[in-house]
C-alpha cells in the first residue's frame, strides 16, 4: 500500500498593519488601503512558492538566510559609516541606532532624494558596496540557490549594480515605482531580491507592495514605451526622460497613487521584517518604501536591492578547464576585471548595470 507524505507549511502569526500611521514620502496611507504581506516558509514546496510569485507578483520568504550572516553585514556597514556621526554615541554598530542629535536631512541614502551633503559621506556610501563582507554576502548559497530554484535556472547572473539603502528615522524614502523603469536596457526577465539587513518594524521604513499590481506596472510601461517612440534609443531606456517624474519614480504619495493611477483597486501590503527574510518580486510589481517612523527604537532601516538574470549558456570547456558553474558561482563580484576574468552575461540583461553603483551614474 502506497504511503502518502503530506507537507505542512509553517504558518506565521498575523500582524496588525493598521493603526500605525504608515506613510510614504507624502501623505499617510488610510488604514482601509493597508493589508498584510503574505509570509511564506522556506520549507514550502517549490511549486507553491513559484505559484505565489507568479500570481501575487512577490514571494516573501521568512528566515531564508541565517540571521547571524545578515547581522554581520549590518555591523560592518555601520562601522564603515561611523565617521559620519550617523550612529548614537556609545551604541553597538550592529544595532544601527540613529544619532538623536543629528538631523535626518543630513543622512540621506540611495533613493532618498538628494545625496548626503558631504564628500566624506558620499565616499563612504560608495565604498560600502565593495567591502569584502558585503561582497561575500552577495554569494550566499541560501540566496543564490533559491533564485535558481524559483526560476528553474541552471545558473544565475547577479548584476554588479546592487544598492545598499539606509533610511534614518524621519528621513525620506524611495517613492512609488516598479523596477523595470530603471532596467529598460535589456529585454530579458530579471528577478529582484529585496533583502532587509536587520529587523524592520511595521513603521520602520520597510517596503510596501501594491497588491496584484504587476499588470498595472506592465500597462504603465507599455504606455511609456508608446509615447517615447520619437525619442533617441538612449532617451527611450532612460528612467529620467521627459515623460518621467523626479528621480524616475511614479509618485511620492502612495495613497494618492492607489486612488488615482490604480483606480482605487488593491491595497498596500505591509509587514515587519526580520534579519534573514527576503522578498522576491516581479520587474513590474509596484512598490514603495514607507517612511521610517520608528523613533521609539531609533533603528536605521538598512536593505539591499539585488537583480538576477538567467546566465547565458557557456561554451563547451576545454578538457583541461575545470568548470563548476553552480548558482551563485560568480567571478570577480567586485566589478574589477582580473587578468583571467571573463565577463558573465545574463540572457537579455541590461548591461549598463554590470558596474558597481556610483553617484550620478545616470541609472
Amino acid at each position: 500500500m502506497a504511503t502518502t507524505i503530506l507537507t505542512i507549511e509553517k504558518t506565521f502569526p498575523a500582524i496588525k498593519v493598521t493603526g500605525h500611521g504608515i506613510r510614504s514620502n507624502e501623505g499617510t496611507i488610510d488604514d482601509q488601503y493597508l493589508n498584510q504581506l503574505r509570509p511564506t516558509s522556506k520549507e514550502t514546496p517549490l511549486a507553491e512558492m513559484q505559484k505565489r510569485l507568479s500570481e501575487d507578483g512577490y514571494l516573501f520568504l521568512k528566515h531564508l538566510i541565517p540571521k547571524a550572516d545578515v547581522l554581520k553585514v549590518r555591523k560592518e556597514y555601520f562601522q564603515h559609516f561611523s565617521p559620519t556621526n550617523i550612529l548614537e554615541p556609545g551604541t553597538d554598530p550592529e544595532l544601527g541606532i540613529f544619532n538623536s542629535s543629528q538631523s535626518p536631512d543630513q543622512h540621506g541614502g540611495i533613493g532618498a532624494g538628494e545625496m548626503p551633503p558631504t564628500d566624506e559621506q558620499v565616499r563612504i556610501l560608495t565604498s560600502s558596496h565593495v567591502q569584502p563582507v558585503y561582497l561575500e554576502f552577495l554569494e550566499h548559497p541560501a540566496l543564490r540557490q533559491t533564485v535558481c530554484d524559483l526560476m528553474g535556472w541552471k545558473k544565475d547572473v547577479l548584476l554588479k549594480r546592487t544598492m545598499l539603502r539606509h533610511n534614518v528615522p524621519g528621513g525620506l524614502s524611495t517613492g512609488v515605482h516598479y523596477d523595470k523603469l530603471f532596467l529598460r536596457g535589456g529585454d530579458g526577465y530579471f528577478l529582484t531580491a529585496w533583502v532587509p539587513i536587520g529587523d524592520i518594524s511595521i513603521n520602520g521604513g520597510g517596503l510596501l507592495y501594491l497588491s496584484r499590481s504587476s499588470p498595472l506596472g506592465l500597462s504603465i510601461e507599455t504606455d511609456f514605451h508608446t509615447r517615447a517612440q520619437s525619442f533617441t534609443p538612449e532617451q527611450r531606456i532612460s528612467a529620467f526622460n521627459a515623460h518621467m517624474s523626479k528621480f524616475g519614480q511614479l509618485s511620492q504619495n502612495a495613497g494618492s497613487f492607489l486612488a488615482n493611477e490604480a483606480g482605487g483597486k488593491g491595497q498596500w501590503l505591509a509587514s515587519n521584517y526580520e534579519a534573514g527574510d527576503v522578498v522576491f518580486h516581479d520587474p513590474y510589481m509596484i512598490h514603495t518604501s514607507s517612511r521610517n517612523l520608528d523613533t521609539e527604537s531609533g533603528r536605521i532601516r538598512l536593505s539591499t536591492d539585488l537583480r538576477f538574470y538567467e546566465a547565458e549558456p557557456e561554451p563547451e570547456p576545454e578538457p583541461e578547464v575545470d568548470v563548476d558553474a553552480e548558482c551563485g558561482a560568480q567571478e570577480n563580484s567586485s566589478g574589477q576585471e582580473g587578468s583571467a576574468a571573463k565577463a558573465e552575461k545574463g540572457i537579455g540583461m541590461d548591461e549598463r548595470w554590470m558596474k558597481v553603483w556610483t553617484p550620478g551614474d545616470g541609472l
Side-chain angles (χ1 to χ4, degrees):
M1 182 176 177
T3 301
T4 300
I5 301 176
L6 297 178
T7 301
I8 301 175
E9 182 188 354
K10 178 180 178 181
T11 58
F12 300 92
I15 63 169
K16 187 172 183 289
V17 300
T18 58
H20 299 287
I22 293 176
R23 293 178 54 87
S24 54
N25 279 341
E26 298 176 4
T28 300
I29 302 171
D30 193 291
D31 280 350
Q32 67 176 313
Y33 297 121
L34 290 169
N35 211 331
Q36 182 178 352
L37 197 70
R38 175 164 64 167
T40 297
S41 167
K42 64 181 180 181
E43 287 80 28
T44 301
L46 177 61
E48 177 62 21
M49 291 187 190
Q50 292 171 326
K51 180 173 180 286
R52 292 183 185 185
L53 178 60
S54 174
E55 292 181 353
D56 296 341
Y58 72 90
L59 180 71
F60 175 23
L61 276 187
K62 296 291 294 180
H63 310 151
L64 177 63
I65 303 172
K67 185 169 187 173
D69 297 347
V70 179
L71 294 181
K72 181 180 178 182
V73 178
R74 183 176 178 87
K75 182 166 189 157
E76 192 277 339
Y77 182 90
F78 286 119
Q79 282 178 329
H80 191 57
F81 261 84
S82 59
T84 68
N85 294 318
I86 195 173
L87 296 179
E88 185 74 14
T91 59
D92 185 345
E94 184 181 295
L95 297 176
I97 304 301
F98 182 52
N99 189 335
S100 56
S101 70
Q102 296 283 304
S103 167
D105 296 340
Q106 301 300 305
H107 294 278
I110 299 174
E114 307 298 337
M115 281 289 99
T118 73
D119 291 342
E120 176 74 353
Q121 287 173 299
V122 174
R123 182 192 67 77
I124 291 174
L125 181 60
T126 305
S127 61
S128 67
H129 290 80
V130 293
Q131 295 302 303
V133 170
Y134 177 62
L135 295 178
E136 180 184 3
F137 179 75
L138 297 181
E139 303 299 329
H140 202 291
L143 173 67
R144 303 299 288 270
Q145 190 60 53
T146 299
V147 170
C148 286
D149 290 345
L150 285 173
M151 300 309 302
W153 296 339
K154 181 178 179 182
K155 187 172 186 283
D156 65 349
V157 171
L158 168 63
L159 295 180
K160 294 186 184 337
R161 191 178 188 269
T162 70
M163 286 179 287
L164 283 160
R165 302 181 191 267
H166 68 254
N167 288 6
V168 303
L172 292 175
S173 56
T174 308
V176 178
H177 67 285
Y178 52 85
D179 291 350
K180 184 64 176 179
L181 283 167
F182 303 95
L183 288 103
R184 291 167 165 164
D187 57 9
Y189 182 92
F190 63 89
L191 181 70
T192 294
W194 181 73
V195 186
I197 310 295
D199 295 351
I200 304 173
S201 65
I202 189 66
N203 66 341
L207 284 195
L208 307 173
Y209 287 88
L210 184 59
S211 60
R212 303 292 179 97
S213 62
S214 291
L216 175 60
L218 177 58
S219 174
I220 293 172
E221 183 63 16
T222 300
D223 179 61
F224 279 138
H225 180 76
T226 300
R227 291 188 289 124
Q229 290 303 303
S230 62
F231 289 4
T232 66
E234 292 77 15
Q235 291 171 333
R236 279 197 297 270
I237 65 174
S238 172
F240 311 100
N241 66 38
H243 291 157
M244 307 304 298
S245 61
K246 191 175 183 181
F247 308 125
Q249 296 159 3
L250 300 174
S251 176
Q252 299 299 315
N253 189 319
S256 174
F257 181 88
L258 190 156
N260 296 303
E261 286 83 350
K265 299 177 181 178
Q267 292 176 298
W268 286 107
L269 306 178
S271 184
N272 51 12
Y273 300 94
E274 298 175 275
D277 295 348
V278 179
V279 187
F280 299 97
H281 65 253
D282 179 275
Y284 297 101
M285 186 67 179
I286 296 172
H287 55 286
T288 186
S289 290
S290 59
R291 289 285 294 272
N292 184 349
L293 304 176
D294 192 0
T295 53
E296 181 177 349
S297 75
R299 191 164 51 219
I300 304 169
R301 182 268 236 186
L302 179 64
S303 65
T304 188
D305 297 355
L306 313 175
R307 277 88 186 196
F308 300 90
Y309 286 85
E310 182 179 10
E312 289 187 348
E314 295 186 358
E316 283 295 317
E318 297 294 330
E320 68 274 15
V321 176
D322 180 19
V323 175
D324 184 21
E326 300 288 333
C327 281
Q330 185 158 327
E331 299 160 359
N332 214 6
S333 294
S334 67
Q336 304 300 316
E337 293 291 336
S339 58
K342 65 180 182 187
E344 289 192 285
K345 295 193 69 174
I347 296 174
M349 76 179 187
D350 189 334
E351 296 190 17
R352 301 173 303 163
W353 281 62
M354 281 305 268
K355 58 184 180 181
V356 176
W357 176 88
T358 55
D361 61 11
L363 301 176

